[in-house]
Amino acid sequence: MAGTTWEQVAGVTPAALYRTVRLIRRFEERAIELVRSGDIVGGIHPYIGQEAIAAGVCAALRPDDLITSTHRGHGHVLAKGADPARMMAELTGRVTGLNRGRGGSMHAADLSLGVLGANGIVGAGGAIAAGAAWAASRLGPPRVAVSFFGDGAVNQGVLLEAFNLAALWRVPVVFVCENNGYATTLTVADAVAGGICDRAAAFGIPAVSVDGMDPQTVLEAAAPLVAAARAGCGPQFLECHTYRFDAHHTWEHKARPRYRSAEAVAAGRSRDPVDIQGARLDAADRLAVDNEIERVIAEAVAFALISAAPSPVDATEHLYATGLRPRPGAS
Amino acid sequence: MAGTTWEQVAGVTPAALYRTVRLIRRFEERAIELVRSGDIVGGIHPYIGQEAIAAGVCAALRPDDLITSTHRGHGHVLAKGADPARMMAELTGRVTGLNRGRGGSMHAADLSLGVLGANGIVGAGGAIAAGAAWAASRLGPPRVAVSFFGDGAVNQGVLLEAFNLAALWRVPVVFVCENNGYATTLTVADAVAGGICDRAAAFGIPAVSVDGMDPQTVLEAAAPLVAAARAGCGPQFLECHTYRFDAHHTWEHKARPRYRSAEAVAAGRSRDPVDIQGARLDAADRLAVDNEIERVIAEAVAFALISAAPSPVDATEHLYATGLRPRPGAS
Amino acid sequence: MTILSYLKALGRALGDEMARDERVCVLGEDVRVGVSNVTNGLLDRFGPDRVLDTPLSEQAFTSFATGAALLGMRPVVEFQIPSLLFLTFEQIANQAHKFSLMTGGQARVPVTFLVPGSGSRLGWAGQHSDHPYSLFAHVGVKTCVPATPSDAYGLLASAIRDDDPVIVFAPAGALGLRADLVLSSLAPVPLGVGRVARPGSDVTVVAVGHHVTDALAVADDLRGDVSVEVFDPRTVYPFDWAGLAASLERTGRLVVIDDSNRMCGLGAEIVATASEEMRLVAPPRRVSRPDGTVLPFAEALDRALQPNRAQLTAAIQAVVKD
Amino acid sequence: MTILSYLKALGRALGDEMARDERVCVLGEDVRVGVSNVTNGLLDRFGPDRVLDTPLSEQAFTSFATGAALLGMRPVVEFQIPSLLFLTFEQIANQAHKFSLMTGGQARVPVTFLVPGSGSRLGWAGQHSDHPYSLFAHVGVKTCVPATPSDAYGLLASAIRDDDPVIVFAPAGALGLRADLVLSSLAPVPLGVGRVARPGSDVTVVAVGHHVTDALAVADDLRGDVSVEVFDPRTVYPFDWAGLAASLERTGRLVVIDDSNRMCGLGAEIVATASEEMRLVAPPRRVSRPDGTVLPFAEALDRALQPNRAQLTAAIQAVVKD
Ligand SMILES: Cc1ncc(C[n+]2csc(CCOP(=O)(O)OP(=O)(O)O)c2C)c(N)n1
Ligand SMILES: Cc1ncc(C[n+]2csc(CCOP(=O)(O)OP(=O)(O)O)c2C)c(N)n1
Ligand SMILES: [Mg+2]
Ligand SMILES: [Mg+2]
């Protein structure tokens, strides 16, 4: 297990981790611009500031491992290996999107990469991840599932029930709580009685809390938990302390609800995961990554915007896996 | 607070506690006979063996305090002061019943006594009790609510959510878990990861575990928790270890599912709350109580069986508090 | 006269009811900041004891409200997403709704559930675009879908004063509406009483929520050719059957436009009851979402599955031809 | 020939499908002991990895099954009480049902939800007597309500083999039925295909679940006076509209007996669709539960709110008179 850990961590170069956080950051910045330009309808929940968690945790996973994501899911989906172009095409509602334009930001999924989907319902992913990991490991060699969720999700009954099921049945799932201090406008202090790790620990789940702003730290914390889950030690829990740099959702850019002072936001943004990891590369290498990412993002946006939107006549396609077509709403 | 405790406990004589457990025991024994005779339709979940918990906890409450009960609720409702005759009339579906024959065993309620009802859904009472205690204390002097539930309920999401809400808002509610070792046929070991008290403690709720077979022990454990809740210290948690002497539900008397060995049941029944408390009375006093209870139960059954059943024409009465009558199912 | 938006009308109803009755309180996510733009300002006016920000524990705070209502409070629970009603279906349909009957009339549960922004919010995709009022009509929970700012005010006020649980759906498609009205004219609108939004003689169009605006527009386009009566039930359960029957006495023809899924939706009930009991000289028609609709993300697909004016126009023309 | 009970037919279907496909597993409360009398013996045959006793965490084990289905398992989830479907409404209607569309067809969720003993179980009162299949028809989850032992076998088998979520309601009123049949004749019954349980020429009675038995009995009583065709849809969603239309071509008259609440129930959809699209020479009628029904405990009240043979007889006689 220690071996696995070491190998897992060592297998990931600082440049690789940097590339991931930089990719997510630039993807989100461009996505916000596309929200402003109206190319992304409905807005997004930006992941900016929390990139270290997706990057660090997914670096500890194997290609066939599984994840469930959240409403703030772009980072997870990209870190698990999704094609940024098809991801951007999904956000802009194109047939070339990961979900053929049916899902959008809150449901982006790539089952071929073990990405079981972002989810619009807070806390919904935990039980799905547990069932998926259980099934995968029953049908073949153990595959670990990571369920990402926010601090708000630890107050959702179904997630707490999932902790119990996973612990009882020793399911290879790692629960990753991204504690960014807020559920929309509500602080953790006003929302969570007791400690977040204590909540997981009460179900007999080993729980650790780490600095979620440093990709390397997150990777080093995640790798042994993933290895332990894979080795049959049952579910593991990782709390990552982080900060949401931008809006809860892009509607905030217009509505501007007051719940975080300018000073608090400035303080929260003072430690930037992209810079923290970037500082570990020498200038030339960092620049090379940055340039490559600019290309990738530019190509992603171009691909998305030239792709076709799905045709209204196909609006009920995929409603049923069996191809059943529902009766129309008007004859 | 210590004062309150002392006074509370001292105010309850051993005879009073014995009377309650004996009342519940005999009520249940007669109710089982009425199930056999067909006078109670649908069967019941007998409380036999667990009487010490309802008796001890309710003895620590004031008349205007509140409780929510469970599918196995007869003991709680009686211990909070419900009229055994109207309770028996409810179980036999009579207009004179506590709920006018509309609720039956699983929904028996007496709001005038603060009994917010037995509930057919496991774990549903906790949040209702919390809201009721919050409201009562907002509209007047603090009133404590006790929410009774079984070991199976600690795996219900809504109950865990209720722990969090009650703790956050310092609601005067006492959560009482009746751990009888089984949820129907599933053992606690196979159902609950971690410890039951640890689960409550994780939400910052003071939690204690006691012998639930001794009414005096339960009372002495409950009184300070009730006093603490009333004093504004927020929710409290009490786990009572007990044993279900009879069937999960009277259908077991016919179906006889195999999940507890005869030896195990015999061992579990070896400590009887009625005898434990009865031994604290001298023979004459105990006999006096027993005779009185026989009268009470005989009168209750007689009252129930001579009472009228509700008329079918009133089947939708009380569906809406405003008196709205729904359209019939056939014209 | 003042210009009042639908959203402001909801907020005004809340504020007026809270001022009128101190047992009225509001619970929900981000209600203090007022993220839904309904509860803004209530915290300053009524304080934190009556405006409670809840953690993401919809099931518990829904039953918490039920428990508070059992003790005499009149809580208003705000849900940020229509599908949170799925998450709390047990607490609403199996607990709050059933307490009165199960206790033989001992209990009353005066709780109001408010969903600002029900139905499609373009671009919010499959889990944020449901319009499940027919589910609650089926289980028998009182349910309103106001179409105008003054009905938004009046129905929410009545819901809060009602002694039973009531759900108020405020369709995303109606939130932006504005009305020019005299504030002093705002008053409770009785539950279960519809209104003729426009009188006509050839066909009755029953339109629900934001589709009332569509029905009025279509009626306008068709004036001259077809005289369309627009009937807005306002409350979907209990439904104003007498009002509908009176309209069909006049027109004898029926079209329903309803943002429910077709199968077992409100439109089905209206068509069924009219067919069984009322005057119909031609087969009725529905304009609804398809069966089992999940709204896809892409804008063109989302729009394609919502009832629209073209479909309504076609249905009206077909019905008057028959 | 063998006598097979409805309950045993369900258990047999489960056992046969588990033997046929090792991806099929069963989860639920007390399924190892087999408290519902459906899963008895499966533990011994298939072992604890495929027969899982769950804690009282319906929401989590429902989504656990969805997750397992996403990875290729075909879980069968048993619920002890119909209203547990209220508790898991989010997990079924908002997650399992929506995955295929939301992922653009990447995901399939072959999970089966089985409710042995749906509807009234005399004496179980308000929270244990619901019959909510119309709710799932409305949201678009495939839903069956078998009326006979062989359909119980065949529809459960098809549900397990189907690549979408399917709910199977086994009405308490049907569990005791027995059929004399050749075991080798048991086979999957396709979803969405109804059957004419009895041919007739004057009126079509659509009967759901245990009411098929009532409809056949009433048809027998009325024979001579009225020739009643009994149509059993078997699957309530997707509904066999072609089968119904064919029957109405023959009879032109319609009565529906359905254990749903009246408002927005399955009966409403059948009456509405027939009125819009099919041949009807007289106004149709429904026999159902009242609006918003909560079944009271007392036996006489419980029975009074369930559809019965007298109501069906009266409805048939009224419809043939019109
Ligand atoms: C069950 C549920 N309740 C409410 C919402 C509306 N909502 C979306 S995100 C959010 C806050 C989530 O907070 P957290 O879990 O901390 O994640 P974060 O947004 O901070 O990343 C809320 C209330 C939802 N999507 N699901
Ligand atoms: C939410 C829910 N799930 C399942 C059931 C069916 N059921 C009734 S009692 C019971 C077991 C409850 O066990 P526990 O909470 O320990 O209480 P006990 O019966 O031991 O007193 C079950 C599974 C139910 N009523 N509610
Ligand atoms: Mg957060
Ligand atoms: Mg128990």
Side-chain angles (χ1 to χ4, degrees):
Chain A
M1 225 169 74
T4 326
T5 309
W6 176 83
E7 166 208 314
Q8 288 270 13
V9 177
V12 184
T13 65
L17 268 186
Y18 176 70
R19 186 186 182 284
T20 307
V21 293
R22 177 76 185 179
L23 169 69
I24 299 170
R25 173 67 53 90
R26 292 295 297 136
F27 184 95
E28 293 294 69
E29 288 170 346
R30 284 295 278 123
I32 290 170
E33 290 169 25
L34 293 173
V35 170
R36 292 222 170 82
S37 64
D39 293 294
I40 292 176
V41 178
I44 63 167
H45 297 87
Y47 194 65
I48 294 176
Q50 307 183 198
E51 297 90 344
I53 304 168
V57 170
C58 290
L61 297 177
R62 297 182 183 167
D64 69 346
D65 284 335
L66 309 159
I67 69 167
T68 61
S69 174
T70 69
H71 57 285
R72 197 177 304 289
H74 305 174
H76 312 131
V77 179
L78 290 169
K80 191 64 173 62
D83 173 357
R86 295 190 57 216
M87 178 74 180
M88 197 62 90
E90 187 56 35
L91 269 52
T92 51
R94 312 300 171 122
V95 278
T96 54
L98 291 173
N99 305 34
R100 299 191 170 89
R102 269 58 177 190
S105 170
M106 268 193 288
H107 305 295
D110 188 336
L111 272 73
S112 69
L113 298 169
V115 179
L116 302 181
N119 204 304
I121 302 302
V122 170
I128 294 169
W134 174 81
S137 306
R138 223 187 132 281
L139 300 167
R143 287 161 71 181
V144 174
V146 167
S147 180
F148 292 98
F149 48 83
D151 46 281
V154 300
N155 301 316
Q156 261 310 313
V158 66
L159 183 64
L160 299 170
E161 290 183 356
F163 290 173
N164 187 57
L165 271 194
L168 273 179
W169 297 343
R170 300 183 73 75
V171 176
V173 57
V174 179
F175 296 106
V176 176
C177 179
E178 307 187 304
N179 181 351
N180 62 9
Y182 288 84
T184 315
T185 68
L186 192 65
T187 64
V188 169
D190 290 336
V192 182
I196 288 177
C197 280
D198 301 342
R199 219 170 260 199
F203 294 89
I205 300 175
V208 297
S209 183
V210 298
D211 170 19
M213 301 309 268
D214 183 339
Q216 191 67 35
T217 305
V218 173
L219 168 60
E220 284 163 13
L225 301 184
V226 170
R230 200 183 308 282
C233 304
Q236 311 288 318
F237 188 94
L238 178 63
E239 178 189 20
C240 300
H241 290 279
T242 183
Y243 194 77
R244 164 165 59 73
F245 284 14
D246 201 297
H248 167 69
H249 180 278
T250 46
W251 54 247
E252 261 189 47
H253 295 153
K254 290 210 187 73
R256 305 223 164 280
R258 261 180 273 83
Y259 61 95
R260 301 192 302 187
S261 70
E263 304 66 43
V265 175
R269 298 176 64 129
S270 62
R271 293 185 62 237
D272 185 321
V274 176
D275 295 337
I276 288 170
Q277 189 62 22
R280 298 188 174 122
L281 276 59
D282 62 40
D285 296 348
R286 181 172 181 174
L287 186 63
V289 172
D290 293 354
N291 292 336
E292 185 235 335
I293 295 297
E294 289 315 298
R295 265 198 315 284
V296 169
I297 298 294
E299 283 164 20
V301 173
F303 173 81
L305 297 184
I306 58 153
S307 294
S311 156
V313 302
D314 300 327
T316 61
E317 200 187 355
H318 308 302
L319 180 55
Y320 296 97
T322 47
L324 170 70
R325 285 302 187 102
R327 292 182 306 169
S331 28
Chain B
M1 229 168 74
T4 324
T5 310
W6 178 82
E7 165 208 313
Q8 288 269 14
V9 178
V12 183
T13 64
L17 268 186
Y18 175 70
R19 185 184 183 286
T20 307
V21 294
R22 177 78 185 179
L23 170 69
I24 299 169
R25 173 67 53 90
R26 292 295 297 134
F27 184 94
E28 293 294 69
E29 289 170 346
R30 283 296 278 121
I32 290 170
E33 291 169 24
L34 292 174
V35 170
R36 292 220 171 82
S37 64
D39 294 294
I40 292 176
V41 179
I44 64 168
H45 297 88
Y47 194 65
I48 294 175
Q50 307 183 199
E51 297 90 344
I53 303 168
V57 170
C58 291
L61 296 178
R62 297 181 184 168
D64 69 345
D65 284 335
L66 308 159
I67 69 167
T68 61
S69 174
T70 69
H71 56 286
R72 198 177 304 289
H74 305 173
H76 312 130
V77 178
L78 290 169
K80 190 65 170 63
D83 173 357
R86 295 191 57 215
M87 180 74 180
M88 198 62 91
E90 187 56 35
L91 269 51
T92 50
R94 311 300 170 123
V95 278
T96 53
L98 291 173
N99 306 32
R100 299 190 170 90
R102 269 59 176 189
S105 170
M106 268 193 288
H107 304 294
D110 188 336
L111 272 75
S112 68
L113 298 170
V115 179
L116 302 181
N119 204 305
I121 302 302
V122 170
I128 294 169
W134 174 82
S137 307
R138 225 187 129 282
L139 299 167
R143 287 160 71 181
V144 174
V146 167
S147 180
F148 292 98
F149 48 83
D151 46 280
V154 300
N155 299 316
Q156 245 334 295
V158 66
L159 183 63
L160 298 171
E161 290 184 356
F163 290 173
N164 187 56
L165 270 194
L168 273 179
W169 296 344
R170 302 182 72 76
V171 176
V173 57
V174 179
F175 297 107
V176 176
C177 179
E178 305 186 307
N179 182 351
N180 61 10
Y182 288 85
T184 313
T185 67
L186 192 65
T187 65
V188 169
D190 290 336
V192 182
I196 288 178
C197 281
D198 300 344
R199 219 169 260 199
F203 294 89
I205 301 176
V208 296
S209 184
V210 299
D211 170 19
M213 300 309 269
D214 182 339
Q216 190 67 33
T217 305
V218 173
L219 168 60
E220 283 164 13
L225 301 185
V226 170
R230 199 183 309 280
C233 305
Q236 312 289 317
F237 188 95
L238 178 64
E239 178 188 19
C240 300
H241 289 279
T242 183
Y243 194 77
R244 165 165 58 75
F245 284 14
D246 201 297
H248 167 69
H249 180 277
T250 47
W251 53 247
E252 259 188 49
H253 295 154
K254 291 208 189 73
R256 304 224 164 280
R258 261 179 273 84
Y259 61 94
R260 303 192 300 187
S261 69
E263 303 66 45
V265 174
R269 297 175 64 126
S270 61
R271 294 185 60 240
D272 185 320
V274 175
D275 294 336
I276 289 171
Q277 190 63 22
R280 298 189 174 120
L281 276 59
D282 62 41
D285 296 348
R286 183 172 181 175
L287 186 65
V289 172
D290 293 353
N291 292 336
E292 185 235 335
I293 294 297
E294 290 315 297
R295 266 199 314 284
V296 168
I297 298 295
E299 283 163 19
V301 173
F303 173 80
L305 297 184
I306 59 154
S307 295
S311 157
V313 302
D314 300 327
T316 60
E317 198 186 355
H318 308 303
L319 179 55
Y320 296 98
T322 47
L324 171 71
R325 285 301 187 105
R327 290 182 307 168
S331 30
Chain C
M1 306 283 277
T2 320
I3 302 285
L4 185 69
S5 78
Y6 189 110
L7 265 174
K8 288 245 176 315
L10 290 173
R12 192 173 189 90
L14 264 179
D16 288 355
E17 292 305 306
M18 290 178 81
R20 174 174 179 279
D21 182 347
E22 61 121 24
R23 297 167 308 172
V24 179
C25 61
V26 179
L27 301 84
E29 286 145 4
D30 312 298
V31 292
R32 288 180 176 170
V33 167
V35 155
S36 67
N37 293 313
V38 170
T39 56
N40 327 52
L42 296 178
L43 177 63
D44 298 343
R45 271 179 77 186
F46 302 104
D49 288 359
R50 294 180 64 191
V51 183
L52 287 85
D53 265 345
T54 56
L56 274 75
S57 305
E58 288 80 7
Q59 299 185 96
F61 70 69
T62 297
S63 278
F64 185 96
T66 296
L70 286 171
L71 270 282
M73 296 286 290
R74 308 189 81 87
V76 178
V77 177
E78 186 189 81
F79 290 115
Q80 288 186 347
I81 309 171
S83 63
L84 296 182
L85 293 168
F86 297 169
L87 191 56
T88 56
F89 204 81
E90 196 283 326
Q91 291 73 31
I92 296 172
N94 212 31
Q95 303 289 342
H97 170 59
K98 292 181 175 175
F99 256 86
S100 178
L101 182 125
M102 292 193 306
T103 61
Q106 295 178 74
R108 46 191 55 205
V109 183
V111 57
T112 300
F113 302 105
L114 175 63
V115 186
S118 54
S120 170
R121 317 170 175 179
L122 223 49
W124 284 72
Q127 291 176 326
H128 283 65
S129 306
D130 304 276
H131 224 160
Y133 49 83
S134 302
L135 295 176
F136 294 94
H138 181 62
V139 295
V141 178
K142 295 176 180 178
T143 302
C144 325
V145 190
T148 68
S150 53
D151 280 349
Y153 179 96
L155 290 167
L156 178 53
S158 294
I160 293 169
R161 297 185 195 185
D162 196 86
D163 275 342
D164 288 312
V166 183
I167 306 181
V168 179
F169 286 89
L175 295 182
L177 294 178
R178 304 163 154 284
D180 199 0
L181 45 73
V182 183
L183 290 180
S184 62
S185 72
L186 291 171
V189 169
L191 301 182
V193 181
R195 71 185 177 106
V196 173
R198 171 191 174 115
S201 52
D202 295 337
V203 56
T204 298
V205 170
V206 178
V208 179
H210 58 299
H211 289 309
V212 170
T213 307
D214 295 318
L216 291 171
V218 167
D220 231 49
D221 295 345
L222 294 177
R223 83 174 157 328
D225 314 339
V226 189
S227 168
V228 176
E229 175 149 307
V230 177
F231 182 75
D232 170 6
R234 306 200 284 193
T235 304
V236 300
Y237 182 83
F239 193 90
D240 183 358
W241 295 118
L244 176 61
S247 177
L248 290 176
E249 276 308 314
R250 290 188 286 276
T251 65
R253 288 182 160 81
L254 172 64
V255 173
V256 182
I257 180 166
D258 159 31
D259 195 33
S260 300
N261 294 350
R262 189 173 192 82
M263 186 88 187
C264 301
L266 181 68
E269 181 61 42
I270 294 169
V271 165
T273 298
S275 302
E276 290 166 320
E277 304 171 10
M278 300 176 190
R279 175 171 169 263
L280 283 181
V281 300
R285 290 185 179 245
R286 282 177 279 174
V287 178
S288 66
R289 294 184 179 192
D291 287 346
T293 297
V294 178
L295 283 185
F297 168 69
E299 180 169 354
L301 305 186
D302 183 331
R303 291 189 190 282
L305 299 184
Q306 296 181 60
N308 63 43
R309 294 178 184 189
Q311 293 168 324
L312 177 59
T313 305
I316 291 169
Q317 281 161 339
V319 166
V320 291
K321 269 200 206 59
D322 288 332
Chain D
M1 305 284 278
T2 320
I3 301 285
L4 185 69
S5 79
Y6 189 111
L7 266 173
K8 287 248 174 314
L10 291 172
R12 193 174 188 90
L14 264 178
D16 288 355
E17 293 305 307
M18 290 178 81
R20 174 175 179 278
D21 183 346
E22 61 120 22
R23 296 167 307 170
V24 178
C25 60
V26 179
L27 301 84
E29 287 144 4
D30 312 297
V31 292
R32 288 181 175 170
V33 166
V35 155
S36 67
N37 293 312
V38 171
T39 56
N40 326 54
L42 295 177
L43 177 63
D44 298 342
R45 269 180 79 189
F46 302 103
D49 288 359
R50 293 180 65 191
V51 183
L52 287 84
D53 266 345
T54 55
L56 274 75
S57 304
E58 289 80 8
Q59 299 184 97
F61 69 69
T62 297
S63 277
F64 186 95
T66 297
L70 286 171
L71 269 282
M73 296 285 290
R74 307 188 81 85
V76 178
V77 177
E78 185 188 81
F79 291 116
Q80 288 187 345
I81 310 172
S83 64
L84 296 182
L85 292 169
F86 297 169
L87 191 56
T88 55
F89 204 82
E90 197 283 325
Q91 291 74 30
I92 297 173
N94 212 33
Q95 304 289 340
H97 169 58
K98 291 181 176 177
F99 256 86
S100 179
L101 183 125
M102 293 193 306
T103 60
Q106 295 178 73
R108 47 192 54 206
V109 183
V111 58
T112 300
F113 303 105
L114 175 64
V115 187
S118 55
S120 170
R121 317 171 176 178
L122 224 48
W124 284 74
Q127 291 176 326
H128 284 64
S129 306
D130 304 275
H131 225 160
Y133 49 83
S134 301
L135 295 176
F136 293 95
H138 181 63
V139 295
V141 178
K142 294 176 180 177
T143 302
C144 322
V145 190
T148 67
S150 53
D151 280 350
Y153 179 97
L155 290 167
L156 179 52
S158 293
I160 292 168
R161 296 186 196 185
D162 196 87
D163 275 344
D164 289 311
V166 182
I167 307 182
V168 179
F169 286 89
L175 295 182
L177 292 178
R178 302 161 156 288
D180 198 359
L181 46 73
V182 184
L183 289 180
S184 61
S185 73
L186 291 172
V189 170
L191 301 182
V193 180
R195 72 183 175 107
V196 173
R198 172 192 174 114
S201 52
D202 295 337
V203 56
T204 298
V205 170
V206 179
V208 180
H210 58 298
H211 289 309
V212 170
T213 307
D214 296 317
L216 291 170
V218 168
D220 231 50
D221 296 346
L222 294 177
R223 86 175 155 322
D225 314 341
V226 189
S227 168
V228 176
E229 175 150 307
V230 177
F231 182 77
D232 170 7
R234 306 199 286 193
T235 303
V236 300
Y237 182 82
F239 193 90
D240 183 357
W241 296 117
L244 176 62
S247 178
L248 290 175
E249 275 308 315
R250 292 189 285 276
T251 64
R253 289 184 159 80
L254 173 64
V255 173
V256 182
I257 180 165
D258 159 32
D259 194 33
S260 298
N261 293 349
R262 190 175 193 81
M263 185 88 186
C264 299
L266 181 67
E269 182 60 43
I270 294 169
V271 165
T273 297
S275 302
E276 290 166 321
E277 304 171 9
M278 300 176 191
R279 175 171 170 266
L280 283 181
V281 300
R285 290 184 180 247
R286 281 177 280 175
V287 177
S288 67
R289 293 184 180 192
D291 287 347
T293 297
V294 178
L295 284 186
F297 167 69
E299 180 170 354
L301 305 186
D302 183 330
R303 290 189 190 281
L305 299 185
Q306 295 182 62
N308 62 44
R309 295 179 184 188
Q311 292 168 326
L312 177 58
T313 305
I316 291 169
Q317 281 161 339
V319 166
V320 292
K321 269 201 207 56
D322 289 333

